[in-house]
Amino acid sequence: MKRLLRNIVNIVGLFVLLFIASAPLTTHAATYTWDGGGVDNNWNTCANWSSDTCPLTTDSVVFSATSTKNADINVDITVSSFSINSGYTGVIAPLASQLITINSTFVQSSGTFTASAATTSMAGDSTFTGGTFNHNSGTVYFTGTGSRTITPNATVFQNVTFDTSGASGATITTSIASDM
């Protein structure tokens, strides 16, 4: 009888363990602000971000007056959204040909953003109203149905691809301030 009871307890324990192991893991998108608290300027130094946590692919990143410390993109990055708010006067730039992928909104109101020397992809709404955008001789891909607002300031593109294939509702608004 003890043996039977022990076997039943083991089987129930196994089912509980299997149930817990098969439960879906959920991640919640968060917003992380560059606070420059790390010993270097590297993107993947988690101490440079609020909560000392490096952003994940589902997260949004914000550069603001919280810190004007430059940010070195030293790894390939993918984020949900990317905002460079008024008050940020630093430079955000890749150290080499790191890939930059922004799956939703990109807003630049201030600061200097240098695109990848390889590929920078922006899949959602993109708004350039201030600051300096450096093309870095790479290709900037605008994909998806987002709207693009490019106000002439220091925004210069080298290679640009607008790909809205399979999408409807994409709009592009720009003013040309110089010869093309």
Side-chain angles (χ1 to χ4, degrees), residues 34 62-65 67-71 82-93 106-115 127-134 153-156:
W34 179 262
V62 175
F63 291 83
S64 66
S67 173
T68 58
K69 181 179 179 180
N70 294 339
F82 201 116
S83 297
I84 308 168
N85 296 339
S86 294
Y88 182 77
T89 57
V91 176
I92 306 161
F106 177 88
V107 175
Q108 183 176 7
S109 301
S110 191
T112 299
F113 179 82
T114 300
T127 305
F128 303 84
T129 58
T132 301
F133 182 91
N134 294 322
N153 50 14
T155 304
V156 177

Side-chain angles (χ1 to χ4, degrees), residues 80-126:
S80 177
S81 68
F82 201 116
S83 297
I84 308 168
N85 296 339
S86 294
Y88 182 77
T89 57
V91 176
I92 306 161
L95 293 178
S97 294
Q98 285 78 19
L99 301 177
I100 300 170
T101 304
I102 302 157
N103 288 323
S104 185
T105 306
F106 177 88
V107 175
Q108 183 176 7
S109 301
S110 191
T112 299
F113 179 82
T114 300
S116 172
T119 302
T120 301
S121 298
M122 298 181 184
D125 294 349
S126 302

Side-chain angles (χ1 to χ4, degrees), residues 142-167:
F142 293 102
T143 61
T145 60
S147 63
R148 319 300 181 210
T149 302
I150 304 168
T151 303
N153 50 14
T155 304
V156 177
F157 296 97
Q158 176 72 17
N159 301 308
V160 177
T161 299
F162 292 95
D163 181 4
T164 58
S165 59

